[in-house]
PDB file of all heavy atoms in Angstrom:
ATOM      1  N   SER O 280      24.152   5.866 -34.141  1.00  0.00           N
ATOM      2  CA  SER O 280      22.970   6.586 -33.673  1.00  0.00           C
ATOM      3  C   SER O 280      23.171   8.064 -33.951  1.00  0.00           C
ATOM      4  O   SER O 280      24.253   8.491 -34.386  1.00  0.00           O
ATOM      5  CB  SER O 280      22.727   6.350 -32.172  1.00  0.00           C
ATOM      6  OG  SER O 280      23.455   7.269 -31.382  1.00  0.00           O
ATOM      7  N   ALA O 281      22.156   8.861 -33.677  1.00  0.00           N
ATOM      8  CA  ALA O 281      22.210  10.298 -33.928  1.00  0.00           C
ATOM      9  C   ALA O 281      23.041  11.053 -32.906  1.00  0.00           C
ATOM     10  O   ALA O 281      23.236  12.264 -33.038  1.00  0.00           O
ATOM     11  CB  ALA O 281      20.790  10.868 -33.955  1.00  0.00           C
ATOM     12  N   ALA O 282      23.557  10.368 -31.873  1.00  0.00           N
ATOM     13  CA  ALA O 282      24.352  11.034 -30.838  1.00  0.00           C
ATOM     14  C   ALA O 282      25.625  10.255 -30.548  1.00  0.00           C
ATOM     15  O   ALA O 282      26.083  10.177 -29.422  1.00  0.00           O
ATOM     16  CB  ALA O 282      23.523  11.198 -29.565  1.00  0.00           C
ATOM     17  N   GLY O 283      26.174   9.657 -31.590  1.00  0.00           N
ATOM     18  CA  GLY O 283      27.390   8.871 -31.431  1.00  0.00           C
ATOM     19  C   GLY O 283      27.065   7.398 -31.317  1.00  0.00           C
ATOM     20  O   GLY O 283      25.906   6.981 -31.417  1.00  0.00           O
ATOM     21  N   PRO O 284      28.077   6.555 -31.108  1.00  0.00           N
ATOM     22  CA  PRO O 284      27.828   5.114 -31.001  1.00  0.00           C
ATOM     23  C   PRO O 284      26.762   4.807 -29.957  1.00  0.00           C
ATOM     24  O   PRO O 284      26.735   5.407 -28.879  1.00  0.00           O
ATOM     25  CB  PRO O 284      29.194   4.560 -30.587  1.00  0.00           C
ATOM     26  CG  PRO O 284      30.183   5.550 -31.124  1.00  0.00           C
ATOM     27  CD  PRO O 284      29.505   6.892 -30.990  1.00  0.00           C
ATOM     28  N   LEU O 285      25.867   3.872 -30.293  1.00  0.00           N
ATOM     29  CA  LEU O 285      24.770   3.541 -29.386  1.00  0.00           C
ATOM     30  C   LEU O 285      25.303   2.773 -28.187  1.00  0.00           C
ATOM     31  O   LEU O 285      25.902   1.707 -28.340  1.00  0.00           O
ATOM     32  CB  LEU O 285      23.730   2.685 -30.110  1.00  0.00           C
ATOM     33  CG  LEU O 285      22.497   2.308 -29.289  1.00  0.00           C
ATOM     34  CD1 LEU O 285      21.590   3.521 -29.101  1.00  0.00           C
ATOM     35  CD2 LEU O 285      21.721   1.167 -29.954  1.00  0.00           C
ATOM     36  N   PRO O 286      25.121   3.297 -26.965  1.00  0.00           N
ATOM     37  CA  PRO O 286      25.556   2.545 -25.782  1.00  0.00           C
ATOM     38  C   PRO O 286      24.762   1.244 -25.630  1.00  0.00           C
ATOM     39  O   PRO O 286      23.615   1.146 -26.068  1.00  0.00           O
ATOM     40  CB  PRO O 286      25.238   3.501 -24.628  1.00  0.00           C
ATOM     41  CG  PRO O 286      25.105   4.854 -25.251  1.00  0.00           C
ATOM     42  CD  PRO O 286      24.557   4.610 -26.619  1.00  0.00           C
ATOM     43  N   TYR O 287      25.390   0.262 -25.038  1.00  0.00           N
ATOM     44  CA  TYR O 287      24.739  -1.018 -24.752  1.00  0.00           C
ATOM     45  C   TYR O 287      24.202  -1.682 -26.021  1.00  0.00           C
ATOM     46  O   TYR O 287      23.181  -2.372 -25.990  1.00  0.00           O
ATOM     47  CB  TYR O 287      23.595  -0.830 -23.753  1.00  0.00           C
ATOM     48  CG  TYR O 287      23.977  -0.120 -22.474  1.00  0.00           C
ATOM     49  CD1 TYR O 287      23.484   1.145 -22.172  1.00  0.00           C
ATOM     50  CD2 TYR O 287      24.823  -0.722 -21.550  1.00  0.00           C
ATOM     51  CE1 TYR O 287      23.827   1.794 -20.983  1.00  0.00           C
ATOM     52  CE2 TYR O 287      25.173  -0.081 -20.366  1.00  0.00           C
ATOM     53  CZ  TYR O 287      24.676   1.170 -20.086  1.00  0.00           C
ATOM     54  OH  TYR O 287      25.012   1.800 -18.918  1.00  0.00           O
ATOM     55  N   CYS O 288      24.892  -1.495 -27.128  1.00  0.00           N
ATOM     56  CA  CYS O 288      24.409  -2.035 -28.402  1.00  0.00           C
ATOM     57  C   CYS O 288      24.163  -3.539 -28.320  1.00  0.00           C
ATOM     58  O   CYS O 288      23.178  -4.042 -28.862  1.00  0.00           O
ATOM     59  CB  CYS O 288      25.410  -1.727 -29.506  1.00  0.00           C
ATOM     60  SG  CYS O 288      24.959  -2.375 -31.128  1.00  0.00           S
ATOM     61  N   ASP O 289      25.050  -4.273 -27.635  1.00  0.00           N
ATOM     62  CA  ASP O 289      24.917  -5.722 -27.604  1.00  0.00           C
ATOM     63  C   ASP O 289      23.828  -6.201 -26.653  1.00  0.00           C
ATOM     64  O   ASP O 289      23.456  -7.377 -26.684  1.00  0.00           O
ATOM     65  CB  ASP O 289      26.262  -6.362 -27.239  1.00  0.00           C
ATOM     66  CG  ASP O 289      27.323  -6.068 -28.288  1.00  0.00           C
ATOM     67  OD1 ASP O 289      26.992  -6.131 -29.484  1.00  0.00           O
ATOM     68  OD2 ASP O 289      28.468  -5.738 -27.916  1.00  0.00           O
ATOM     69  N   ALA O 290      23.308  -5.308 -25.809  1.00  0.00           N
ATOM     70  CA  ALA O 290      22.191  -5.659 -24.933  1.00  0.00           C
ATOM     71  C   ALA O 290      20.857  -5.201 -25.493  1.00  0.00           C
ATOM     72  O   ALA O 290      19.802  -5.577 -24.984  1.00  0.00           O
ATOM     73  CB  ALA O 290      22.393  -5.036 -23.545  1.00  0.00           C
ATOM     74  N   THR O 291      20.897  -4.391 -26.545  1.00  0.00           N
ATOM     75  CA  THR O 291      19.691  -3.774 -27.097  1.00  0.00           C
ATOM     76  C   THR O 291      18.948  -4.738 -28.009  1.00  0.00           C
ATOM     77  O   THR O 291      19.550  -5.439 -28.818  1.00  0.00           O
ATOM     78  CB  THR O 291      20.069  -2.505 -27.884  1.00  0.00           C
ATOM     79  OG1 THR O 291      20.623  -1.551 -26.975  1.00  0.00           O
ATOM     80  CG2 THR O 291      18.861  -1.903 -28.572  1.00  0.00           C
ATOM     81  N   GLY O 292      17.625  -4.764 -27.894  1.00  0.00           N
ATOM     82  CA  GLY O 292      16.792  -5.513 -28.823  1.00  0.00           C
ATOM     83  C   GLY O 292      16.422  -4.643 -30.008  1.00  0.00           C
ATOM     84  O   GLY O 292      16.238  -3.430 -29.874  1.00  0.00           O
ATOM     85  N   PHE O 293      16.319  -5.259 -31.173  1.00  0.00           N
ATOM     86  CA  PHE O 293      16.020  -4.513 -32.394  1.00  0.00           C
ATOM     87  C   PHE O 293      14.722  -5.025 -33.017  1.00  0.00           C
ATOM     88  O   PHE O 293      14.483  -6.237 -33.070  1.00  0.00           O
ATOM     89  CB  PHE O 293      17.154  -4.669 -33.410  1.00  0.00           C
ATOM     90  CG  PHE O 293      18.426  -3.990 -33.008  1.00  0.00           C
ATOM     91  CD1 PHE O 293      19.373  -4.665 -32.253  1.00  0.00           C
ATOM     92  CD2 PHE O 293      18.671  -2.664 -33.353  1.00  0.00           C
ATOM     93  CE1 PHE O 293      20.551  -4.040 -31.871  1.00  0.00           C
ATOM     94  CE2 PHE O 293      19.846  -2.038 -32.976  1.00  0.00           C
ATOM     95  CZ  PHE O 293      20.790  -2.717 -32.228  1.00  0.00           C
ATOM     96  N   GLY O 294      13.908  -4.079 -33.502  1.00  0.00           N
ATOM     97  CA  GLY O 294      12.700  -4.455 -34.221  1.00  0.00           C
ATOM     98  C   GLY O 294      13.059  -4.896 -35.625  1.00  0.00           C
ATOM     99  O   GLY O 294      13.309  -4.063 -36.499  1.00  0.00           O
ATOM    100  N   VAL O 295      13.081  -6.206 -35.848  1.00  0.00           N
ATOM    101  CA  VAL O 295      13.564  -6.750 -37.125  1.00  0.00           C
ATOM    102  C   VAL O 295      12.418  -7.032 -38.089  1.00  0.00           C
ATOM    103  O   VAL O 295      12.614  -7.602 -39.150  1.00  0.00           O
ATOM    104  CB  VAL O 295      14.381  -8.043 -36.903  1.00  0.00           C
ATOM    105  CG1 VAL O 295      15.644  -7.742 -36.107  1.00  0.00           C
ATOM    106  CG2 VAL O 295      13.544  -9.118 -36.204  1.00  0.00           C
ATOM    107  N   TRP O 296      11.197  -6.654 -37.719  1.00  0.00           N
ATOM    108  CA  TRP O 296      10.034  -6.844 -38.565  1.00  0.00           C
ATOM    109  C   TRP O 296       9.952  -8.296 -39.074  1.00  0.00           C
ATOM    110  O   TRP O 296       9.966  -9.224 -38.289  1.00  0.00           O
ATOM    111  CB  TRP O 296      10.013  -5.823 -39.704  1.00  0.00           C
ATOM    112  CG  TRP O 296       9.576  -4.446 -39.290  1.00  0.00           C
ATOM    113  CD1 TRP O 296      10.389  -3.380 -39.026  1.00  0.00           C
ATOM    114  CD2 TRP O 296       8.233  -3.973 -39.060  1.00  0.00           C
ATOM    115  NE1 TRP O 296       9.640  -2.277 -38.665  1.00  0.00           N
ATOM    116  CE2 TRP O 296       8.319  -2.609 -38.686  1.00  0.00           C
ATOM    117  CE3 TRP O 296       6.977  -4.561 -39.158  1.00  0.00           C
ATOM    118  CZ2 TRP O 296       7.199  -1.831 -38.395  1.00  0.00           C
ATOM    119  CZ3 TRP O 296       5.859  -3.776 -38.874  1.00  0.00           C
ATOM    120  CH2 TRP O 296       5.968  -2.439 -38.499  1.00  0.00           C
ATOM    121  N   SER O 297       9.898  -8.512 -40.395  1.00  0.00           N
ATOM    122  CA  SER O 297       9.579  -9.837 -40.925  1.00  0.00           C
ATOM    123  C   SER O 297      10.707 -10.846 -40.841  1.00  0.00           C
ATOM    124  O   SER O 297      10.496 -12.015 -41.188  1.00  0.00           O
ATOM    125  CB  SER O 297       9.106  -9.725 -42.377  1.00  0.00           C
ATOM    126  OG  SER O 297       7.800  -9.182 -42.422  1.00  0.00           O
ATOM    127  N   ALA O 298      11.884 -10.456 -40.381  1.00  0.00           N
ATOM    128  CA  ALA O 298      12.883 -11.471 -40.055  1.00  0.00           C
ATOM    129  C   ALA O 298      12.347 -12.396 -38.963  1.00  0.00           C
ATOM    130  O   ALA O 298      12.834 -13.519 -38.792  1.00  0.00           O
ATOM    131  CB  ALA O 298      14.187 -10.819 -39.622  1.00  0.00           C
ATOM    132  N   THR O 299      11.315 -11.936 -38.245  1.00  0.00           N
ATOM    133  CA  THR O 299      10.607 -12.770 -37.266  1.00  0.00           C
ATOM    134  C   THR O 299      10.092 -14.057 -37.907  1.00  0.00           C
ATOM    135  O   THR O 299      10.043 -15.102 -37.260  1.00  0.00           O
ATOM    136  CB  THR O 299       9.434 -11.980 -36.660  1.00  0.00           C
ATOM    137  OG1 THR O 299       9.939 -10.795 -36.021  1.00  0.00           O
ATOM    138  CG2 THR O 299       8.649 -12.796 -35.650  1.00  0.00           C
ATOM    139  N   LYS O 300       9.696 -13.970 -39.168  1.00  0.00           N
ATOM    140  CA  LYS O 300       9.154 -15.149 -39.847  1.00  0.00           C
ATOM    141  C   LYS O 300      10.148 -16.309 -39.833  1.00  0.00           C
ATOM    142  O   LYS O 300       9.761 -17.475 -39.717  1.00  0.00           O
ATOM    143  CB  LYS O 300       8.760 -14.791 -41.279  1.00  0.00           C
ATOM    144  CG  LYS O 300       7.606 -13.801 -41.402  1.00  0.00           C
ATOM    145  CD  LYS O 300       7.373 -13.400 -42.846  1.00  0.00           C
ATOM    146  CE  LYS O 300       6.082 -12.607 -43.029  1.00  0.00           C
ATOM    147  NZ  LYS O 300       6.118 -11.276 -42.417  1.00  0.00           N
ATOM    148  N   THR O 301      11.434 -15.982 -39.978  1.00  0.00           N
ATOM    149  CA  THR O 301      12.480 -16.998 -39.983  1.00  0.00           C
ATOM    150  C   THR O 301      12.963 -17.316 -38.574  1.00  0.00           C
ATOM    151  O   THR O 301      13.148 -18.484 -38.211  1.00  0.00           O
ATOM    152  CB  THR O 301      13.677 -16.516 -40.822  1.00  0.00           C
ATOM    153  OG1 THR O 301      13.204 -15.990 -42.059  1.00  0.00           O
ATOM    154  CG2 THR O 301      14.652 -17.646 -41.067  1.00  0.00           C
ATOM    155  N   LEU O 302      13.170 -16.262 -37.768  1.00  0.00           N
ATOM    156  CA  LEU O 302      13.750 -16.423 -36.441  1.00  0.00           C
ATOM    157  C   LEU O 302      12.781 -17.011 -35.437  1.00  0.00           C
ATOM    158  O   LEU O 302      13.201 -17.553 -34.398  1.00  0.00           O
ATOM    159  CB  LEU O 302      14.257 -15.074 -35.931  1.00  0.00           C
ATOM    160  CG  LEU O 302      15.301 -14.363 -36.799  1.00  0.00           C
ATOM    161  CD1 LEU O 302      15.616 -12.985 -36.237  1.00  0.00           C
ATOM    162  CD2 LEU O 302      16.563 -15.194 -36.927  1.00  0.00           C
ATOM    163  N   ALA O 303      11.470 -16.933 -35.718  1.00  0.00           N
ATOM    164  CA  ALA O 303      10.467 -17.452 -34.779  1.00  0.00           C
ATOM    165  C   ALA O 303       9.550 -18.488 -35.438  1.00  0.00           C
ATOM    166  O   ALA O 303       9.510 -19.645 -35.020  1.00  0.00           O
ATOM    167  CB  ALA O 303       9.640 -16.309 -34.196  1.00  0.00           C
ATOM    168  N   SER O 304       8.813 -18.101 -36.488  1.00  0.00           N
ATOM    169  CA  SER O 304       7.852 -19.036 -37.093  1.00  0.00           C
ATOM    170  C   SER O 304       8.539 -20.258 -37.682  1.00  0.00           C
ATOM    171  O   SER O 304       8.117 -21.400 -37.455  1.00  0.00           O
ATOM    172  CB  SER O 304       7.035 -18.328 -38.180  1.00  0.00           C
ATOM    173  OG  SER O 304       6.086 -17.454 -37.605  1.00  0.00           O
ATOM    174  N   GLY O 305       9.590 -20.040 -38.464  1.00  0.00           N
ATOM    175  CA  GLY O 305      10.308 -21.164 -39.040  1.00  0.00           C
ATOM    176  C   GLY O 305      10.881 -22.067 -37.971  1.00  0.00           C
ATOM    177  O   GLY O 305      10.787 -23.312 -38.056  1.00  0.00           O
ATOM    178  N   VAL O 306      11.475 -21.464 -36.951  1.00  0.00           N
ATOM    179  CA  VAL O 306      12.061 -22.234 -35.850  1.00  0.00           C
ATOM    180  C   VAL O 306      10.975 -23.038 -35.127  1.00  0.00           C
ATOM    181  O   VAL O 306      11.170 -24.206 -34.791  1.00  0.00           O
ATOM    182  CB  VAL O 306      12.791 -21.291 -34.875  1.00  0.00           C
ATOM    183  CG1 VAL O 306      13.175 -22.021 -33.601  1.00  0.00           C
ATOM    184  CG2 VAL O 306      14.030 -20.709 -35.540  1.00  0.00           C
ATOM    185  N   ALA O 307       9.807 -22.424 -34.899  1.00  0.00           N
ATOM    186  CA  ALA O 307       8.731 -23.110 -34.179  1.00  0.00           C
ATOM    187  C   ALA O 307       8.239 -24.334 -34.941  1.00  0.00           C
ATOM    188  O   ALA O 307       8.037 -25.409 -34.356  1.00  0.00           O
ATOM    189  CB  ALA O 307       7.577 -22.146 -33.928  1.00  0.00           C
ATOM    190  N   LEU O 308       8.034 -24.204 -36.262  1.00  0.00           N
ATOM    191  CA  LEU O 308       7.549 -25.347 -37.034  1.00  0.00           C
ATOM    192  C   LEU O 308       8.602 -26.447 -37.090  1.00  0.00           C
ATOM    193  O   LEU O 308       8.277 -27.650 -36.993  1.00  0.00           O
ATOM    194  CB  LEU O 308       7.164 -24.902 -38.440  1.00  0.00           C
ATOM    195  CG  LEU O 308       6.443 -25.951 -39.305  1.00  0.00           C
ATOM    196  CD1 LEU O 308       5.194 -26.491 -38.610  1.00  0.00           C
ATOM    197  CD2 LEU O 308       6.078 -25.378 -40.669  1.00  0.00           C
ATOM    198  N   LEU O 309       9.862 -26.083 -37.208  1.00  0.00           N
ATOM    199  CA  LEU O 309      10.934 -27.076 -37.210  1.00  0.00           C
ATOM    200  C   LEU O 309      11.052 -27.768 -35.857  1.00  0.00           C
ATOM    201  O   LEU O 309      11.388 -28.964 -35.786  1.00  0.00           O
ATOM    202  CB  LEU O 309      12.260 -26.418 -37.586  1.00  0.00           C
ATOM    203  CG  LEU O 309      12.378 -25.961 -39.039  1.00  0.00           C
ATOM    204  CD1 LEU O 309      13.539 -24.986 -39.201  1.00  0.00           C
ATOM    205  CD2 LEU O 309      12.539 -27.156 -39.976  1.00  0.00           C
ATOM    206  N   ARG O 310      10.774 -27.054 -34.783  1.00  0.00           N
ATOM    207  CA  ARG O 310      10.782 -27.680 -33.453  1.00  0.00           C
ATOM    208  C   ARG O 310       9.620 -28.657 -33.304  1.00  0.00           C
ATOM    209  O   ARG O 310       9.788 -29.765 -32.769  1.00  0.00           O
ATOM    210  CB  ARG O 310      10.720 -26.610 -32.357  1.00  0.00           C
ATOM    211  CG  ARG O 310      10.632 -27.180 -30.939  1.00  0.00           C
ATOM    212  CD  ARG O 310      11.788 -28.097 -30.623  1.00  0.00           C
ATOM    213  NE  ARG O 310      11.619 -28.813 -29.357  1.00  0.00           N
ATOM    214  CZ  ARG O 310      12.350 -29.856 -28.999  1.00  0.00           C
ATOM    215  NH1 ARG O 310      13.293 -30.327 -29.803  1.00  0.00           N
ATOM    216  NH2 ARG O 310      12.136 -30.431 -27.830  1.00  0.00           N
ATOM    217  N   LEU O 311       8.431 -28.266 -33.782  1.00  0.00           N
ATOM    218  CA  LEU O 311       7.287 -29.183 -33.719  1.00  0.00           C
ATOM    219  C   LEU O 311       7.567 -30.443 -34.523  1.00  0.00           C
ATOM    220  O   LEU O 311       7.196 -31.556 -34.108  1.00  0.00           O
ATOM    221  CB  LEU O 311       6.030 -28.484 -34.237  1.00  0.00           C
ATOM    222  CG  LEU O 311       5.448 -27.380 -33.359  1.00  0.00           C
ATOM    223  CD1 LEU O 311       4.263 -26.713 -34.063  1.00  0.00           C
ATOM    224  CD2 LEU O 311       5.023 -27.912 -31.999  1.00  0.00           C
ATOM    225  N   ALA O 312       8.213 -30.302 -35.668  1.00  0.00           N
ATOM    226  CA  ALA O 312       8.535 -31.471 -36.492  1.00  0.00           C
ATOM    227  C   ALA O 312       9.528 -32.387 -35.775  1.00  0.00           C
ATOM    228  O   ALA O 312       9.408 -33.622 -35.841  1.00  0.00           O
ATOM    229  CB  ALA O 312       9.099 -31.029 -37.834  1.00  0.00           C
ATOM    230  N   GLN O 313      10.508 -31.811 -35.101  1.00  0.00           N
ATOM    231  CA  GLN O 313      11.471 -32.620 -34.356  1.00  0.00           C
ATOM    232  C   GLN O 313      10.803 -33.325 -33.177  1.00  0.00           C
ATOM    233  O   GLN O 313      11.110 -34.482 -32.856  1.00  0.00           O
ATOM    234  CB  GLN O 313      12.613 -31.726 -33.864  1.00  0.00           C
ATOM    235  CG  GLN O 313      13.622 -32.416 -32.949  1.00  0.00           C
ATOM    236  CD  GLN O 313      14.367 -33.547 -33.627  1.00  0.00           C
ATOM    237  OE1 GLN O 313      14.470 -33.580 -34.858  1.00  0.00           O
ATOM    238  NE2 GLN O 313      14.890 -34.481 -32.851  1.00  0.00           N
ATOM    239  N   LYS O 314       9.860 -32.642 -32.549  1.00  0.00           N
ATOM    240  CA  LYS O 314       9.237 -33.150 -31.327  1.00  0.00           C
ATOM    241  C   LYS O 314       8.137 -34.170 -31.615  1.00  0.00           C
ATOM    242  O   LYS O 314       8.021 -35.190 -30.920  1.00  0.00           O
ATOM    243  CB  LYS O 314       8.670 -31.961 -30.535  1.00  0.00           C
ATOM    244  CG  LYS O 314       8.186 -32.296 -29.143  1.00  0.00           C
ATOM    245  CD  LYS O 314       7.814 -31.018 -28.397  1.00  0.00           C
ATOM    246  CE  LYS O 314       7.392 -31.332 -26.968  1.00  0.00           C
ATOM    247  NZ  LYS O 314       7.058 -30.096 -26.225  1.00  0.00           N
ATOM    248  N   TYR O 315       7.344 -33.904 -32.668  1.00  0.00           N
ATOM    249  CA  TYR O 315       6.166 -34.740 -32.911  1.00  0.00           C
ATOM    250  C   TYR O 315       6.184 -35.459 -34.264  1.00  0.00           C
ATOM    251  O   TYR O 315       5.309 -36.266 -34.535  1.00  0.00           O
ATOM    252  CB  TYR O 315       4.895 -33.889 -32.818  1.00  0.00           C
ATOM    253  CG  TYR O 315       4.691 -33.275 -31.460  1.00  0.00           C
ATOM    254  CD1 TYR O 315       4.756 -31.886 -31.287  1.00  0.00           C
ATOM    255  CD2 TYR O 315       4.450 -34.059 -30.346  1.00  0.00           C
ATOM    256  CE1 TYR O 315       4.566 -31.312 -30.040  1.00  0.00           C
ATOM    257  CE2 TYR O 315       4.258 -33.491 -29.093  1.00  0.00           C
ATOM    258  CZ  TYR O 315       4.322 -32.125 -28.947  1.00  0.00           C
ATOM    259  OH  TYR O 315       4.136 -31.560 -27.708  1.00  0.00           O
ATOM    260  N   GLY O 316       7.171 -35.144 -35.094  1.00  0.00           N
ATOM    261  CA  GLY O 316       7.278 -35.810 -36.383  1.00  0.00           C
ATOM    262  C   GLY O 316       7.023 -34.881 -37.538  1.00  0.00           C
ATOM    263  O   GLY O 316       6.310 -33.880 -37.420  1.00  0.00           O
ATOM    264  N   PRO O 317       7.582 -35.213 -38.721  1.00  0.00           N
ATOM    265  CA  PRO O 317       7.481 -34.331 -39.890  1.00  0.00           C
ATOM    266  C   PRO O 317       6.074 -34.242 -40.469  1.00  0.00           C
ATOM    267  O   PRO O 317       5.835 -33.414 -41.357  1.00  0.00           O
ATOM    268  CB  PRO O 317       8.443 -34.979 -40.889  1.00  0.00           C
ATOM    269  CG  PRO O 317       8.504 -36.415 -40.487  1.00  0.00           C
ATOM    270  CD  PRO O 317       8.385 -36.416 -38.994  1.00  0.00           C
ATOM    271  N   GLU O 318       5.141 -35.037 -39.967  1.00  0.00           N
ATOM    272  CA  GLU O 318       3.763 -34.955 -40.445  1.00  0.00           C
ATOM    273  C   GLU O 318       3.165 -33.568 -40.225  1.00  0.00           C
ATOM    274  O   GLU O 318       2.206 -33.187 -40.897  1.00  0.00           O
ATOM    275  CB  GLU O 318       2.896 -36.005 -39.756  1.00  0.00           C
ATOM    276  CG  GLU O 318       3.302 -37.445 -40.026  1.00  0.00           C
ATOM    277  CD  GLU O 318       4.473 -37.905 -39.176  1.00  0.00           C
ATOM    278  OE1 GLU O 318       4.822 -37.192 -38.203  1.00  0.00           O
ATOM    279  OE2 GLU O 318       5.061 -38.960 -39.496  1.00  0.00           O
ATOM    280  N   VAL O 319       3.750 -32.814 -39.290  1.00  0.00           N
ATOM    281  CA  VAL O 319       3.207 -31.484 -38.996  1.00  0.00           C
ATOM    282  C   VAL O 319       3.299 -30.566 -40.217  1.00  0.00           C
ATOM    283  O   VAL O 319       2.462 -29.668 -40.385  1.00  0.00           O
ATOM    284  CB  VAL O 319       3.928 -30.852 -37.781  1.00  0.00           C
ATOM    285  CG1 VAL O 319       5.363 -30.492 -38.109  1.00  0.00           C
ATOM    286  CG2 VAL O 319       3.178 -29.627 -37.281  1.00  0.00           C
ATOM    287  N   PHE O 320       4.277 -30.768 -41.084  1.00  0.00           N
ATOM    288  CA  PHE O 320       4.389 -29.921 -42.273  1.00  0.00           C
ATOM    289  C   PHE O 320       3.150 -30.043 -43.157  1.00  0.00           C
ATOM    290  O   PHE O 320       2.724 -29.076 -43.795  1.00  0.00           O
ATOM    291  CB  PHE O 320       5.632 -30.288 -43.086  1.00  0.00           C
ATOM    292  CG  PHE O 320       6.927 -30.065 -42.373  1.00  0.00           C
ATOM    293  CD1 PHE O 320       7.828 -31.111 -42.188  1.00  0.00           C
ATOM    294  CD2 PHE O 320       7.267 -28.816 -41.871  1.00  0.00           C
ATOM    295  CE1 PHE O 320       9.026 -30.915 -41.525  1.00  0.00           C
ATOM    296  CE2 PHE O 320       8.458 -28.604 -41.207  1.00  0.00           C
ATOM    297  CZ  PHE O 320       9.346 -29.662 -41.027  1.00  0.00           C
TER     298      PHE O 320
END
Side-chain angles (χ1 to χ4, degrees):
S280 87
L285 182 73
Y287 307 113
C288 178
D289 297 318
T291 296
F293 291 89
V295 296
W296 283 100
S297 287
T299 301
K300 294 174 170 68
T301 313
L302 302 175
S304 286
V306 169
L308 189 55
L309 290 164
R310 176 57 189 166
L311 290 176
Q313 174 63 23
K314 189 173 183 179
Y315 298 114
E318 298 80 13
V319 69
F320 297 123

